[in-house]
Amino acid sequence: MSAQRVLVVGAGGREHALVRALRRSPSAPEVLAAPGNAGIARDGVRCLEIGAEDVEAIVAAARAEGVDFVVVGPEAPLVAGAVDALAEAGIAAFGPSAEAARIEGSKAYSKELMKAVGVPTAAHVMLRSHEEAREHLACASYPTVLKADVLAAGKGVIIAANEREAREAVEMFFVDKRFGATEVVLEEHLDGEEVSLLALCDGERAVPMAPAQDYKRIFDGDRGPNTGGMGSYSPVPGVDAELAEELARTVHQPIVDELARRGNPFHGVLYAGLMMTPAGPKVLEYNARFGDPETQAVLPRLRSDLLELLEASATPGGLAGKTLEWAPDWAVTLVHASRGYPESSSKGDVIAGLDEADAMDGVEVFHAGTAEAGGDVVTAGGRVLAVTALGTTPGAARDLAYAASEKIGFDGRQLRSDIASRAVERVEA
Ligand code: AMP
Ligand code: GLY
């Protein structure tokens, strides 16, 4: 018997997509959100005024509201032990324990794990001080990659073309303490196409979801700084169900086995960021949660009961015999960001056209950084919203996503114009 009252923790577009997919469950659960966002509230979901990182308040609210299942979206509460605290209070939850979530929380730890089980990844060294960094930069080969060893939502990664850029980056990390990290990973630069492959895990096995591709850079043509993600699409040409299964066997399952062996079974979603290099797939990073904006492209295609799958993931061995059914459609997701993102964001700009876009057939509008202000919906963050469209071809999905996005407008909007063009070209060729 599925949970009747489900609480989704988080405030982003990912959580809006989770809320909508959970409400499509045949068991028709009541869904609450903490803290949710303006779009989730406009869907008629009760939003609790609790910070997504306030573990104590999440547990207290889940108890007070008689919630029988909690779905934790973002990494911060997972790393802070939200699922452990809920378990202690006797409340079932989707997501890894704090110990298992370290795979995302510490790049040094995740590199150690990959090495222990032989998952292919970029060669790296840990830099523990500015002096140590400068020594290594003198003999590194370029381009090279520098990553702050903190949770930085994909923003603490610098691809340095030469030693001068690398020196500027380590100065930003160690002297300006831009991301608050005390350690930095210096990593071999990998070439190839990126694929995000998420797998549901029940502590024993990893079941792959549909693959997606994320656009990390702020500007068209993959230029400018890294962001949390400016768009995505699913599936990915060249990564069919068979390859996804094989990738899950080689990059997810060994980690699930090793964490179980170490006594920290991984429950939840294990997200592998992969680079498909000429020498084969290599792991760029693991995350311990759903991707954003990958989730906004993947979940609208899911035909299986999401609530049942998430509950099965929370149960040891619960995914045995479960399969995931996907609509044959393509999904394209466009992120609308506010002026200044990713360095800053602008607030309070009125957003027009939301309802008109959301009402279009095959289109969903997911809110992220939005707020209600005097009857209007206004911008309230860097990534403001995401528009997902479904279509029978990548081109149809993309054209519909851009047509729906044209109906939406706000001052200073940043919207890439080339999302999914690679998939469109490939499939049309
Ligand atoms: P991460 O947070 O580690 O996934 O890094 C964010 C983004 O930086 C990735 O999605 C890639 O676009 C890029 N990146 C990270 N590591 C590498 C690497 N070793 N080689 C090339 N690009 C990378
Ligand atoms: N889209 C990248 C992430 O969720 O980390």
Side-chain angles (χ1 to χ4, degrees), residues 12 23-24 69 99 103 108 181 241 251 305 309 324 393:
R23 293 177 99 196
R24 288 195 289 268
F69 192 61
E99 186 55 38
I103 193 162
V251 307
D305 178 345
L309 289 169
L324 277 61
T393 63

Side-chain angles (χ1 to χ4, degrees), residues 30-158:
E30 183 192 353
V31 178
L32 310 180
N37 60 39
I40 294 174
R42 279 158 63 99
D43 283 356
V45 167
R46 196 145 58 83
C47 293
L48 310 176
E49 278 181 48
I50 292 172
E53 296 171 24
D54 189 343
V55 171
E56 244 173 73
I58 292 166
V59 175
R63 254 211 205 107
E65 296 283 350
V67 164
D68 16 42
F69 192 61
V70 179
V71 178
V72 183
E75 57 276 24
L78 293 168
V79 169
V83 170
D84 312 71
L86 287 160
E88 237 163 75
I91 301 165
F94 175 82
S97 65
E99 186 55 38
R102 280 178 68 212
I103 193 162
E104 172 164 5
S106 161
K107 292 194 193 284
Y109 173 70
S110 99
K111 283 287 194 185
E112 181 268 311
L113 262 180
M114 285 189 253
K115 196 164 174 201
V117 299
V119 168
T121 183
H124 81 289
V125 285
M126 292 303 299
L127 306 176
R128 297 194 166 83
S129 69
H130 197 196
E131 293 66 48
E132 200 179 36
R134 292 165 69 99
E135 275 168 35
H136 276 99
L137 296 187
C139 46
S141 56
Y142 291 91
T144 196
V145 182
L146 291 146
K147 303 183 179 184
D149 196 6
V150 285
L151 290 176
K155 289 185 268 185
V157 176
I158 304 285

Side-chain angles (χ1 to χ4, degrees), residues 107 122 145 147 153-159 187-191 194 214 216-217 226-227 271 273 275 284-285 287:
K107 292 194 193 284
V145 182
K147 303 183 179 184
K155 289 185 268 185
V157 176
I158 304 285
I159 309 218
E187 188 172 283
E188 168 199 10
H189 182 264
L190 299 176
D191 271 319
E194 280 184 66
D214 174 20
K216 306 268 175 171
R217 306 292 196 101
N226 265 343
T227 69
Y271 162 144
M275 189 70 93
L284 292 175
E285 63 159 356
N287 293 318

Side-chain angles (χ1 to χ4, degrees), residues 304-317:
S304 310
D305 178 345
L306 181 66
L307 178 58
E308 187 192 321
L309 289 169
L310 300 190
E311 289 187 304
S313 306
T315 312

